[in-house]
Amino acid sequence: MSKLTDVPKRILIGRALRSDRLGETLLPKRIALPVFASDPLSSVAYAPGEVLLVLSIAGVSAYHFSPWIAVAVVVLMFTVVASYRQNVHAYPSGGGDYEVANTNLGPKAGLTVASALLVDYVLTVAVSISSGIENLGSAIPFVVEHKVFCAIAVILLLTLMNLRGVKESGTLFAIPTYVFVAGVFTMIAWGAFRALVLDDTMRAPTAEYVIKPEHQGLAGFALLFLLLRAFSSGCAALTGVEAISNGVPAFRKPKSRNAATTLALMGLLAVTMFCGIIGLAMATKVHMAENPAADLFRDGVPVGPDYVQHPVISQVAEAVFGEGSFLFIVLAAATALVLFLAANTAYNGFPLLGSILAQDRYLPRQLHTRGDRLAFSNGIVLLAGAAMLLVWIYGADSTRLIQLYIVGVFVSFTLSQIGMVRHWNRHLSTERDPAKRRHMVRSRAINAFGAFFTGLVLVVVLVTKFSHGAWVALLGMCIFYATMTAIRKHYDRVAEEIAAPEGPPGDDIVRPSRVHSVVLISKIHRPTLRALAYAKLLRSDTLEALSVNVDPAETKALREEWERRGIDVPLKVLDSPYREITRPVIEYVKSLRNESPRDAVSVIIPEYVVGHWYEHLLHNQSALRLKGRLLFTPGVMVTSVPYQLQSSEAAKRRARRRQEWNAPGSVRRGPAQERAKESSQST
Amino acid sequence: MSKLTDVPKRILIGRALRSDRLGETLLPKRIALPVFASDPLSSVAYAPGEVLLVLSIAGVSAYHFSPWIAVAVVVLMFTVVASYRQNVHAYPSGGGDYEVANTNLGPKAGLTVASALLVDYVLTVAVSISSGIENLGSAIPFVVEHKVFCAIAVILLLTLMNLRGVKESGTLFAIPTYVFVAGVFTMIAWGAFRALVLDDTMRAPTAEYVIKPEHQGLAGFALLFLLLRAFSSGCAALTGVEAISNGVPAFRKPKSRNAATTLALMGLLAVTMFCGIIGLAMATKVHMAENPAADLFRDGVPVGPDYVQHPVISQVAEAVFGEGSFLFIVLAAATALVLFLAANTAYNGFPLLGSILAQDRYLPRQLHTRGDRLAFSNGIVLLAGAAMLLVWIYGADSTRLIQLYIVGVFVSFTLSQIGMVRHWNRHLSTERDPAKRRHMVRSRAINAFGAFFTGLVLVVVLVTKFSHGAWVALLGMCIFYATMTAIRKHYDRVAEEIAAPEGPPGDDIVRPSRVHSVVLISKIHRPTLRALAYAKLLRSDTLEALSVNVDPAETKALREEWERRGIDVPLKVLDSPYREITRPVIEYVKSLRNESPRDAVSVIIPEYVVGHWYEHLLHNQSALRLKGRLLFTPGVMVTSVPYQLQSSEAAKRRARRRQEWNAPGSVRRGPAQERAKESSQST
C-alpha cells in the first residue's frame, strides 16, 4: 500500500544507500568532538546575546552584571560536564538520559525525560535554524528580510537530506565546526590584542545606540529576578551537552575514557568562547534590546520596527575584523553552518530515541527495527513538521524560541543526575573493594551536586520563563507523555488479552479438528490454476472452488470450461442478486462454520502482483476488501497465492532499494556489526 | 486500509441505508415522468434566454427571428423524441446510448459516446446548478451576489446527499417538477389571457432598456451564422432527453409502451413551455444582451458591470405575475429546485455509466459491482470535483457554461441514432414477417432522419460554438477516451499474460510437488498458538516455526518457553544484525526455494484484527510489510491467521454498515430483485 506514497518520495528523496556501508570505522576524538559537540558549541552563537538582551531591560547599566552571569554559566557548565563524565563511565553502552532515568528512577521518570528530550529535539531544530539564519543575515541581508521563508527552506532541505539517508560523515561535521571554533578564538585573540596591546578602540555597530530601560533603576528582588532570568537565558549554552553520553559506543577504545576527555574538551571550548564573546561585547559596547523597535534609540530616535538587530557574535566580529571584511564573512558563514549542523543532530537523535521508546512499547512497535526506512522517516517528518510550525509561529525569532528551549534540557539533566545518584547508591550497597567504593562515592558526590544545581536552575528557568513561553514546552511535554502512556496502555491491554495460558499449546482455544479449503475463482487463468494447484498440496480435509455469479453469462462460460478442462475440484457458484462479491462469500463461509463449528475454513485467494500503484488500483480491489472482511470472521485463515505479472519486477526493485537504506545518525551510534556482535547469541 | 479514510467519511456521510429496501416498486408514468424528465424539462429555464442572448448581438431587431428558431428547436425535439421512442422499443432492457452505439457501431463508437456522456454529466451539474442559482437569485439577491460560493455549496450538498446513499424517492422528484410545470403553464395561460383578453400591457423589467448591437445590420452569411448559433443555444432544451431510454426497466409493464408514452409527454411539455416562454418574452419585451455590462443601456447609459441580468423565465414571471408577487416567488423557487434535481440526475447517471463501462473493462473493475459504496463514491466525487472546477472557472455563469454543454449531447444523439439504423438493418436482414418488416422500415426511417438531423445540428454546434468553449468539452471527451482506452489496453495485456493454456490445469506452471510451511513467531501468545494449531491442520510436508532475533534476550526467553511448553514444532531463529524483520525472512524463504525449487513455501502469519485505524498503526505493520514483500517472491503463498481482539467488534459493525448501503439512482434502474431474477440461472 505504501506504493502510493512511494512515487513522490522517490522523486524527492532519490536512490538510497546500502546500510552495510555504514560506519565500519570508530570515531577518533578529533572527529567525535565535532560530531557530538556541534550543538553545544554552536549555542555560544546565541547564548551571550540572550544574556545582554535580558539585562538591557534594566538599562545598559545592568550590562556590568554580565560577567557575573557568565561566571555562573561557567560554573554550571563545569558541573554538568563533570556529572556527565560520570554517566559516560557508568554507561559505556551509551545509555542516554532516558535509560539512566528509566533504570534508576523507574518508568515514569524515564518517560518524563523522554518527553523532555523529544520536545528538546524539536526546539534544537527551531532555535538553531532560526539563529543560523540570523547569523547568515548579518552577512546577507536578503536572508533576514525573508527570515521565516529561509528558515523553513533550510529545515526542508535538512529533512530531505535525512530522509534520503545521507551518510553522515565525520569530516562533514569536522570542517565547519573547527572553522567556527578557530574563527571565534581568532576573534577573541585578535580582539584582546587590539584592545590591550594596540590599545585601539573597537566599536560595535550599535555602540552609539542608546537603550531605553523598560524598568528604570531596578533594585532588590526585581533586580535579582532579572539577573536570574538573564542567567537562565545564558544556560542556553548548555544545550546538547548530553549528546556525547549517548554516543559512547561510537568512540575508539577505551571508549569511556575518550568520551570523557572529549566531553571535558567540549566544555572547555564552550565556556572560553562564551566568556570571550561576552567580554568582547562589553569591550566593543554592543547594545541589544529585547524589543529594539521601541527601546533602542539611534541619535535620539527609536530605530523602528524594520531595524534588524544582528546577533552579538556578528556585531563583535564586525567590530574586531571590520565590517564586511573577509574574516567577518567567513565567521558568519561558519556560524550559520555549524548551527545548521546542530539542528541536524536532532534529526539523528529524534528517531533514535523513538526506536528506543518503541522498544519499551511507548511508541508504535515498528519504529523499533533499526534501519527501517519508514520508521525513521515518520520520526523525521514529525520532527520537521513540529519545528516548522514553531518557526512559523514565532517568526523564526531565536530570542522568542529560546524561552521555550531550556526547560526540556534541564528536566532531563536533573532527572538523569538524580538517577545517577541512585545508580551509585545501588552499586555502593554491593561493592566491597574500598578503592572502587572511594571512586563511587566521589562520583556520587559529583552527580549529587549536579542534580542539585541543575534542579535549582530548572526551578529558576521555570519561574523566570514560564510566562515567556516555557509553558509551551511544558505543554508539549505533557502531550508526548500522555500519548506515550496511552500507547503503552494499549499494548499492555492487548498483551494481556492474548497472553497464552500455561499448559500444552492452545488448549484453551477450540482446537479445530478439520480444515475446509475454499479457492476463490473468478475466471480460469494461470493465477487461479496456480491457486488450485497449491490448494491441493495443502491436503486439507475438503477442497472446493468457489465463484460468485455476478454475470450469468460469464458464470455459464466458467462452468463449461471447468467441465471441459476436467478440473477435479468441485465448483460451487454463489448467487449475488446485487452483483456484490464480498457479502455472499462471507455469508457462505459463515454458513460453513455454523454447519461444523469445530472446523476451520481456509480461504485461498489468487492475487495479481503488479508493479505500479496505478495498476494496483486496477486489480485485487475486491480481493483486498474481501480479505479485510474475512479477517473479522472467526475460525478463518486467508491465504493469498500471488501471481507475479511482468510489471511486478519494477516494484520488486523498488522494494529492494527501500530496504537498502541508510538510517540517519548511524555514525554517532557506532558500527552496527559491532553492536550486533556484542549482543548476538542465537543460532 | 480504507479504515483510515473511513473516519472523516463517517462523520460527513453518516449512517447508510439498507440496500434491500430499495425500489421494490415499479414506477407509474406519473412518477416516472418527473424522475426522468426533470433534466430536459428544467432546461427550458435557460434555453429560451440563450436564444435571445445570441440574437441580441445583431441588435434587438433580430429578436423577431426567435419564433423561427423556436420552431426549429421544436422540430428537432420531436425528431429526437420520435427516434428515442424507437430505442425504447428496441432495447427494453434499458440500453442507453452507450450500449446502442457499442453493440451496433463497435467499441470505438461506444467509447466515444461514453466519453461524451461523462462530459455531459459533469456539465449537467455545472449548468443546472449555475442556472438554478441565477433563478433563485431573481428572488433572493444575496444568492447571485455570491454566485460561485452558493453554486459550490449546493454541489457539495448534493454530493454529500448522494454519498450518503439517500434513497431517491419518486415523490421527491414529482412535487417540485409538477409545481414547476404547473407554474410555467399558469404563467403562459395567465400571460396570454392578460395580453389577448384583458389586452393590458405587461412589461418585463428590462422592457425599457436599449441594446447596443455588437454588429449593426448583420446580413447574408453573417446573419445566417448568428441564427445558427442562436439555434444551437436553443438546443440546450434537448439535454437529458435520452434519460428515459436508460430507465425502461424501472417502468411498470408494458415497460416499453409506457416509457415511449412518457417520452412523448415529456417532449410535448418541453416544447410547449419553450415556445410559451419565448412568446411571452417577445410580448413583454424582455431585453437581454450577451454582455449586458457594455451593451445594455438604461436611459442612455450602460448598466455597468454590477448589473445582474435575470434569466428570461423570471423576467417574464415578473411581468406576468407582478414583481415580488407570491406566484413569482413560488415559480422562482420551483425553477431553482427542479434545476437542482436535474443536476442530481447526473449523480445517478455518472456512476451507473461508470459501472457499465467497468463491466466492459474500460474502467477499474471494482466499479462494476453494484451497490459497492466505494465504487460509487469514487464516481460521485470525481463528478462533483469536475463540476465544481468548471463552476469556479466560469464563475457559475450558465451562459458561458452552456457553450460547452450541447456538444456532448449531440455526439451521443447522433451516434446512437446511427446505431439504431444499423440495428434495424441487421434485423431486417433476418426478419421475414412483412408486418414486422414494415414496422422496422418505418422505425429505421425515423432513426435515419434523427441521425441526419442531430448530426447536422452537431456540425452546426461545433462550427458556431467551437471557439466559444465547445473545444473544452471536446478536450474533456478526448481525455476520458484516452484514459479508458489505456485502462482497457492494460486489462487486455494482463488477460493475455495470465491466459491459461489448454489442457489439464496448470500443465505449463512448474507444478510444485511439496509444501514447506513456515509459521512466523514473535512471542508465544494466543494468536501464535492459533496459527500453529491451524498450520498443523494443513498437513504440509514440512512444518517449522520461524522467529527473527532482534533482541537476544527476548529470543532466549522464547526458546526457553518453547521448550517448557514442549511445542512439537521445530523452532528456527534467524539472526538480524540490523534489527530488521523483513529481509532475513525473505532471504530465508528464498534459500528454501533454492534448495528445492519444485517445492512451494507457505508462510503463515498470525495477525491481530483491531477495531480502529489508530490501533491499526500500532499492530501488524511489520507483518503487512513482510506480506507485501513476500508476494513478490515466486513460489510462495502467504496465509494470515487472524486473531480478533475485542476491539475488532467495532470495525466489524462498521464494515457491515458500509455494506448495507444504498447506491444512488436505484429507483431509475428498477428493483434489483427483478433484474437479478431476469438474469439468474445458476445453482
Side-chain angles (χ1 to χ4, degrees), chain B residues 180-396:
Chain B
F180 170 70
V181 174
V184 173
F185 273 98
T186 330
M187 177 174 77
I188 297 170
W190 180 234
F193 180 72
R194 281 183 61 184
L196 308 174
V197 181
L198 308 182
D199 183 27
D200 56 8
T201 53
M202 303 170 290
R203 285 275 165 273
T206 55
E208 309 312 333
Y209 290 32
V210 179
I211 294 171
K212 175 175 130 300
E214 286 184 3
H215 308 284
Q216 194 51 273
L218 273 181
F221 181 75
L223 179 59
L224 177 67
F225 186 84
L226 187 74
L227 295 182
L228 287 175
R229 233 191 98 199
F231 167 66
S232 37
S233 292
C235 294
L238 278 82
T239 54
V241 171
E242 77 287 358
I244 291 181
S245 65
N246 303 324
V248 186
F251 279 84
R252 287 222 179 122
K253 295 201 161 60
K255 295 179 178 296
S256 300
R257 165 100 48 72
N258 288 334
T261 326
T262 319
L263 200 47
L265 196 58
M266 183 270 289
L268 207 63
L269 289 176
V271 293
T272 329
M273 296 198 287
F274 184 81
C275 298
I277 292 171
I278 291 250
L280 283 173
M282 295 291 94
T284 59
K285 302 227 174 336
V286 172
H287 287 77
M288 306 184 84
E290 204 176 28
N291 29 16
D295 301 347
L296 204 58
F297 288 71
R298 191 198 291 111
D299 331 326
V301 290
V303 291
D306 36 5
Y307 167 78
V308 182
Q309 181 163 265
H310 287 307
V312 65
I313 184 169
S314 74
Q315 292 202 29
V316 170
E318 197 173 323
V320 175
F321 295 133
E323 185 176 3
S325 63
F326 173 72
L327 281 172
F328 168 75
I329 302 293
V330 171
L331 185 60
T335 315
L337 205 50
V338 81
L339 280 161
F340 296 157
L341 287 181
N344 189 64
T345 58
Y347 278 90
N348 304 315
F350 193 91
L352 175 56
L353 179 57
S355 75
I356 297 171
L357 287 167
Q359 238 161 319
D360 298 353
R361 310 213 308 290
Y362 287 117
L363 288 177
R365 217 183 275 110
Q366 72 266 30
L367 296 184
H368 169 29
T369 55
R370 175 188 187 165
D372 174 337
R373 182 171 204 133
L374 289 137
F376 277 88
S377 317
N378 299 340
I380 288 171
V381 170
L382 179 64
L383 173 68
M388 283 194 274
L389 187 68
L390 283 177
V391 164
W392 181 68
I393 291 176
Y394 287 95

Side-chain angles (χ1 to χ4, degrees), chain B residues 286-584:
Chain B
V286 172
H287 287 77
M288 306 184 84
E290 204 176 28
N291 29 16
D295 301 347
L296 204 58
F297 288 71
R298 191 198 291 111
D299 331 326
V301 290
V303 291
D306 36 5
Y307 167 78
V308 182
Q309 181 163 265
H310 287 307
V312 65
I313 184 169
S314 74
Q315 292 202 29
V316 170
E318 197 173 323
V320 175
F321 295 133
E323 185 176 3
S325 63
F326 173 72
L327 281 172
F328 168 75
I329 302 293
V330 171
L331 185 60
T335 315
L337 205 50
V338 81
L339 280 161
F340 296 157
L341 287 181
N344 189 64
T345 58
Y347 278 90
N348 304 315
F350 193 91
L352 175 56
L353 179 57
S355 75
I356 297 171
L357 287 167
Q359 238 161 319
D360 298 353
R361 310 213 308 290
Y362 287 117
L363 288 177
R365 217 183 275 110
Q366 72 266 30
L367 296 184
H368 169 29
T369 55
R370 175 188 187 165
D372 174 337
R373 182 171 204 133
L374 289 137
F376 277 88
S377 317
N378 299 340
I380 288 171
V381 170
L382 179 64
L383 173 68
M388 283 194 274
L389 187 68
L390 283 177
V391 164
W392 181 68
I393 291 176
Y394 287 95
D397 178 340
S398 59
T399 306
R400 289 171 62 201
L401 284 164
I402 281 170
Q403 312 302 321
L404 289 66
Y405 198 6
I406 313 146
V407 187
V409 186
F410 279 90
V411 167
S412 51
F413 279 168
T414 315
L415 286 171
S416 112
Q417 292 316 314
I418 298 175
M420 286 305 292
V421 177
R422 278 274 189 87
H423 170 86
W424 296 125
N425 287 339
R426 216 175 47 256
H427 281 266
L428 279 166
S429 62
T430 57
E431 184 59 61
R432 289 282 149 265
D433 170 346
K436 285 222 184 73
R437 286 187 65 82
R438 226 174 297 111
H439 192 274
M440 285 181 180
V441 173
R442 201 177 123 278
S443 306
R444 181 176 61 180
I446 297 173
N447 286 123
F449 182 68
F452 163 74
F453 200 170
T454 49
L456 190 68
V457 175
L458 176 58
V459 175
V460 172
V461 170
L462 278 178
V463 173
T464 55
K465 295 196 166 294
F466 189 84
S467 58
H468 292 84
W471 65 271
V472 180
L474 285 175
L475 181 65
M477 285 170 59
C478 295
I479 292 171
F480 277 119
Y481 190 97
T483 320
M484 293 196 284
T485 337
I487 292 179
R488 174 61 184 262
K489 273 218 182 67
H490 172 85
Y491 276 130
D492 292 349
R493 204 172 51 248
V494 170
E496 201 176 295
E497 187 180 339
I498 63 175
E502 281 310 321
D507 257 7
D508 64 315
I509 304 164
V510 187
R511 188 103 103 307
S513 50
R514 299 162 65 256
V515 191
H516 183 89
S517 290
V518 176
V519 186
L520 291 188
I521 304 286
S522 53
K523 285 194 183 50
I524 294 182
H525 45 43
R526 289 161 187 269
T528 44
L529 291 179
R530 171 179 288 181
L532 280 168
Y534 281 14
K536 282 192 207 146
L537 285 179
L538 305 163
R539 308 178 204 79
S540 56
D541 305 86
T542 57
L543 170 62
E544 69 178 339
L546 186 67
S547 182
V548 181
N549 165 29
V550 280
D551 177 333
E554 284 173 14
T555 312
K556 195 154 161 301
L558 174 64
R559 289 171 165 286
E560 282 158 7
E561 190 171 358
W562 200 267
E563 299 305 323
R564 213 183 64 251
R565 290 174 172 272
I567 300 175
D568 55 353
V569 178
L571 172 62
K572 165 121 184 122
V573 177
L574 300 177
D575 247 332
S576 168
Y578 295 95
R579 298 227 314 271
E580 291 167 309
I581 295 176
T582 315
R583 198 198 304 224

Side-chain angles (χ1 to χ4, degrees), chain A residues 372 508 526 539 625, chain B residues 368 372 508 526 539 625:
Chain A
D372 176 336
D508 64 314
R526 289 162 189 269
R539 309 180 204 77
R625 241 168 291 146
Chain B
H368 169 29
D372 174 337
D508 64 315
R526 289 161 187 269
R539 308 178 204 79
R625 239 167 293 145

